[in-house]
Every structure is written in structure tokens, then in C-alpha cells.
Amino acid sequence: MPTPEHVILRELITHDPDWVSGGDLATKLGVSRVAIWQHMEKLRSAGYVFAAQRARGYRILERPSSPHAASIETQLKVRPRGFSLVVVDETDSTNDEASRQLGAGRPAPFAVIARRQTDGRGRLGRVWHSEANGNLYLSIAFRPRLPPERMGAFTLWMGLNVCELLANFAKVTPGLKWPNDILFDGRKAGGILTEARIDADEIRDLVFGLGLNINSPATGWPTDLGQRAVSLSEITGAPLDFNRLTAALIGRILLAYQKFVDGDYTKTFADLWHTYDILRGREIAVLEGGRRHVGTVAGLDDEGALLLRDSSGRTARYRAGEVTLEKSRSLAP
Ligand code: BTN
């Protein structure tokens, strides 16, 4: 149900950079100009800066740099029936919050975004650095009711869709490092953590978590992270519109999920993999269960497992693990 702030934002964003008259907004909402002024104050406190002139009305000068629910909802172009979004200041982990809300019966799909996480998690039990610094901490919850074996390539498929969205939105060239890293020239800008609860041979709850460095200066992070991490704004050289990008990402993720569930993704998967995979033909090491396996990447199997050819020509498949690139010796595929 759109609130007055949604209606006002939709008008201002649609007409940006032009003016929208206070009188027109008042008529549209059936309220007084004073009421419009009060709604504008609420939007200002969320981070909007407006130009206001008695004769012309309002126009947007600056947009919030941190998550704002009405801004995201107003700019969402894909909205499945029943979809909802919650933005919180702080939570332990948006994946955990989404999982708790699924457990409490909240209708799926829904998205949870936090300005900061106190216990942000990455794969393999790692900490995900989650200050309130202009980066995105997003989880989207689904109830797929699919057999677990259908989910093998899910994280890769979603990562590829995130890469393509970023490439189109920000005119950048991301790469996907199997299984879940979004990189720019070897530096990590994002990661995906997919978690599922399985019930009687079907996936009951699925939480897709995305951490994406959007506007943080990596120089403000702990040194080890600062050297390996990068944010989109460092790549583009200018801050990005956080809420517009977040709305575009959520839309793409919702569409990609639906295609995956419908089984309508294999051809696009192959095309996207060809474009964004950064490991093809590379010599790498996979760390899995405490063992290190070195070989040349030979592709993926149907379930998204990585195929690695060792020096004796044997090919092994890895469903999980941590990949490191061996000293940049690129081998033929
Ligand atoms: C990784 O690269 O290991 C995955 C990182 C995933 C981080 C995101 S941030 C939003 C969601 N909440 C979490 O606690 N983790 C994911």
C-alpha cells in the first residue's frame, strides 16, 4: 500500500530534474500544502535534499546514501505478488533475520536490508565486514519447495545475474569467481551466501544473501581487507545512487529466481558464464576439507560443480571449496 511518501517520491523521481508543484502533489494526495510540506520534512530526515521554490514547487537535489525503504520500493520495477521489503538500522545478520521471519511465517518472497550488521557472515564461517558505510547488506527469502538436487547451480546463476546487472547499471566489468565472489581486477566487491532449510526432501526455506561494496572507501577498512576489497564507487570514480541500484538488484534477483524455479535458465546461464567467469583455463588451487587440489579449470558440470584437470589429466569435480589462483600461468582451456 503506497504511503504519501511513496506517491511524492514517485512524482519527484519521475520528473527529476524538473520541478513538481506542491499544489499538484496536494491535489494528487487530497491533502493540504502544509501536509505536503510535512511529508517533505520526513523525506529530508531520510537523507533527501530538495530545492523548494514557492512558484515552482520541489525538485530533488540529493538522494539518500543509505537504504531507504520508500525509495527502493518506488523504484522497484519487478514486484511479485505479496513481495515485501524491510529496512532496519541494525541486525546481527540479514540472513539470520530473514530466516527468523520465514520461521515466523512471513509470506515470501521478501527482502531484508540492514544499514549495518553486527554479525555479518560470509562463506566458510568468515566475518563479513558490515559497517554503516554505504554498502549493501541484503537478504531475500524464498520458499521454493524444490528438491535439494535442483539447487546445485543456484548461487552461481544468481551471481551471474548480479554481475550482469552491475555491468549494465554502472557500465563496469565485473567477474565471477566460482562459487560466489564478485570481483574487479582481482579485488572483491561482493559475495553471496545462500542458506537453505531442507524439509522432507524439499527445500522449505531459502535465503539468498548479498553483500556488495557500493559506496564505501576501502581505505577506511582494516588493512588486510582494504588491500583485497574494492567498492563500486572506486571503480566508477563517483558515488552510485544506492537506492536505485538496490531496487534494480532486487528486481533482477527476483526475476532470476523465478527463471531458476521454472527451469528456464540453462541457455542464459551458459551465455552469462561465458561472459563473467574469470577462472576458465586458469591454473588454480581448490582448498576443500583441509586438502589442497591444484589443476586447470575445465568448466562446470550440470550441477554447478567446478571441474579441475590435474597434471596427470584426471578430472575431478568440486561442489564447494575456496579457490586461489596459482601464479598467473594461464593455460589453454
Ligand atoms: C562471502 O563472500 O563469503 C559471502 C558474503 C555474504 C555477505 C552477505 S551481507 C548480507 C547477508 N548477511 C550475512 O550475514 N551475510 C550475507
Side-chain angles (χ1 to χ4, degrees):
M1 178 71 184
T3 64
E5 276 85 37
H6 285 89
V7 175
I8 293 172
L9 274 181
R10 186 162 300 130
E11 288 300 304
L12 289 165
I13 290 171
T14 309
H15 290 94
D16 189 30
D18 292 333
W19 297 84
V20 175
S21 96
D24 286 353
L25 290 173
T27 312
K28 207 168 191 92
L29 283 165
V31 298
S32 67
R33 274 166 167 260
V34 175
I36 294 296
W37 183 84
Q38 284 165 345
H39 291 305
M40 300 303 285
E41 283 303 292
K42 242 172 136 178
L43 289 170
R44 282 192 177 101
S45 66
Y48 278 95
V49 179
F50 301 109
Q53 284 185 14
R54 185 177 281 275
R56 304 166 95 179
Y58 301 94
R59 72 184 179 87
I60 298 175
L61 293 180
E62 275 177 44
R63 300 179 183 219
S65 55
S66 64
H68 178 240
S71 302
I72 297 168
E73 284 162 343
T74 304
Q75 297 177 88
L76 256 185
K77 298 210 168 72
V78 177
R79 204 179 174 125
R81 189 196 300 258
F83 173 79
S84 61
L85 164 72
V86 49
V87 173
V88 297
D89 253 335
E90 178 181 299
T91 188
D92 46 0
S93 148
T94 53
N95 269 29
D96 290 346
E97 182 57 33
S99 168
R100 285 190 291 267
Q101 297 205 16
L102 276 170
R106 184 176 183 139
F110 63 86
V112 179
I113 296 176
R115 296 192 178 91
R116 67 185 285 263
Q117 301 183 114
T118 53
D119 197 14
R121 290 181 283 112
R123 278 176 71 245
L124 310 170
R126 296 203 176 117
V127 170
W128 187 258
H129 191 70
S130 304
E131 282 173 27
N133 58 4
N135 290 343
L136 176 65
Y137 315 114
L138 162 74
S139 298
I140 306 193
F142 303 98
R143 290 198 180 87
R145 305 236 173 264
L146 286 178
E149 57 274 15
R150 272 282 315 276
M151 300 306 292
F154 179 76
T155 298
L156 284 178
W157 165 245
M158 300 304 268
L160 291 169
N161 277 273
V162 169
C163 283
E164 173 134 295
L165 186 281
L166 294 177
N168 293 338
F169 185 98
K171 310 288 170 261
V172 289
T173 39
L176 189 74
K177 183 174 141 226
W178 183 93
N180 74 327
D181 288 349
I182 296 163
L183 303 184
F184 291 91
D185 283 334
R187 297 178 77 192
K188 182 159 168 170
I192 293 168
L193 180 66
T194 306
E195 296 176 307
R197 201 168 304 162
I198 300 169
D199 203 14
D201 289 343
E202 64 174 20
I203 306 257
R204 190 182 58 182
D205 294 349
L206 181 75
V207 177
F208 169 82
L210 172 69
L212 185 66
N213 304 334
I214 297 184
N215 283 326
S216 62
T219 46
W221 297 353
T223 329
D224 62 326
L225 269 181
Q227 277 159 11
R228 286 183 285 117
V230 70
S231 64
L232 280 171
S233 62
E234 290 176 285
I235 305 288
T236 58
L240 285 96
D241 181 341
F242 183 97
N243 291 295
R244 192 164 80 85
L245 173 54
T246 299
L249 280 165
I250 292 175
R252 179 77 187 223
I253 292 164
L254 291 170
L255 273 182
Y257 172 81
Q258 199 50 53
K259 285 187 183 159
F260 190 87
V261 169
D262 294 345
D264 169 25
Y265 69 98
T266 41
K267 162 79 174 70
T268 316
F269 186 106
D271 292 345
L272 293 178
W273 184 251
H274 185 73
T275 308
Y276 296 108
D277 161 41
I278 62 162
L279 295 182
R280 185 173 10 158
R282 301 287 298 269
E283 191 174 341
I284 64 162
V286 180
L287 198 62
E288 187 224 26
R291 296 190 60 194
R292 194 166 176 274
H293 312 271
V294 176
T296 306
V297 176
L300 291 179
D301 74 3
D302 288 349
E303 288 164 16
L306 192 72
L307 302 175
L308 200 62
R309 198 179 309 123
D310 68 17
S311 52
S312 66
R314 257 196 314 266
T315 301
R317 58 201 288 272
Y318 297 94
R319 298 179 59 86
E322 177 68 4
V323 167
T324 50
L325 295 175
E326 293 293 273
K327 290 255 172 330
S328 67
R329 208 149 55 85
S330 177
L331 303 180

